Amino acid sequence: MPIMIPLTRPAMALSPRVPGARIVVIGGGTGSFVLLSGLKHYTQHITALVNMSDDGGSTGLLRDELGILPPGDVRQCLVALSNSPRVRDLFNYRFTEGSMKGHAFGNLFLAALEKMTGSFGEATELAAEVLNIVGQVEPITLDDAKLCMEYPDGTIEKGEFIIGHVKFGSSRPRLFLDPDCKINPAADEAIRNADMVVIAPGNIYGSIGPALVVSGVREALSDTTAKVVYVCNLVTNPGQTDGFGVHDYASVIEDMVGAPCIDVVMYNNNLPDKKLLSHYAHEGE
């Protein structure tokens, strides 16, 4: 049974006695971005492991047109860990007109590096040098795969963008990748050698799950001596996690991993301010 820690006050900083703590963050998108932006101030040894099934927006277009691995979530994690504000802004710059409309510069940069080097892993390392990041960013897998979801009746949905937004109510569908893909060796090593592994908040089926169902992640999380911490979502996702309590989120995470793995769950029990609440309510969250 994981330990449940309510965040009744701001989370405490890591002890200055352990400035070298090896922290691994698993996820993608906004949840990882927020965690990494804070954690980089407490340790130099931070590794972001990023899901690689994004197929929406600029990333989806580049995947379709260039046959590359998805750069979007990797770009966000690189930017979060960057110590170069102007370059960080450049990587997040999004074109608003012309044939490049909708594309983030960082996505194009990573696409060019992958084409130049022939390796998305090497492209990520080169981008990390340009951005002067704290720690490192690693794709959770270097295999090209599509996210799939199977309902209890056998019906299958395909594509991370679709899966992240489809409404399936109280049914608990199964996530998988097609074709099956294996964990990036650098990601496997990071998990096994970590002091703490943090599973980020985010859309469970469209952002966090795609990283957890990669072959080899279950074994790495089961074998590591690190404390595994799950930072629970602040709000529910309409049509997917309506009515979820903290224990429901933790249970789904462990089901996706395929084994009990969480030692600690951190969750919020303070209400956001009224303006933020009204925004969430408007979105049905």
Side-chain angles (χ1 to χ4, degrees), residues 14 19-25 32 35-49 77 80-81 133-138 190 196 198:
L14 295 178
R22 297 181 298 257
I23 300 179
V24 170
V25 175
S32 286
L35 283 181
L36 294 169
S37 297
L39 286 172
K40 72 178 182 182
H41 298 294
Y42 298 100
T43 179
Q44 296 291 307
H45 302 292
I46 185 166
T47 302
L49 304 184
C77 291
L81 293 174
I133 73 167
V134 174
Q136 61 192 61
V137 175
E138 295 287 352
M196 179 183 292
V198 183

Side-chain angles (χ1 to χ4, degrees), residues 237-256:
N237 186 23
Q240 295 193 354
T241 59
D242 298 301
F244 264 38
V246 173
H247 63 287
D248 295 305
Y249 281 100
S251 176
V252 169
I253 290 292
E254 291 195 326
D255 283 347
M256 287 178 173

Side-chain angles (χ1 to χ4, degrees), residues 67-120:
I68 61 170
L69 289 174
D73 286 347
V74 168
R75 169 184 56 83
Q76 284 206 65
C77 291
L78 286 166
V79 167
L81 293 174
S82 174
N83 278 324
S84 302
R86 296 291 286 175
V87 182
R88 189 168 63 222
D89 292 343
L90 172 63
F91 265 62
N92 270 343
Y93 176 78
R94 199 171 289 274
F95 294 91
T96 58
E97 57 190 359
S99 60
M100 294 292 102
K101 183 177 180 179
H103 284 298
F105 171 80
N107 290 355
L108 298 173
F109 188 81
L110 282 163
L113 285 175
E114 181 180 352
K115 286 295 187 181
M116 182 184 79
T117 64
S119 164
F120 190 79

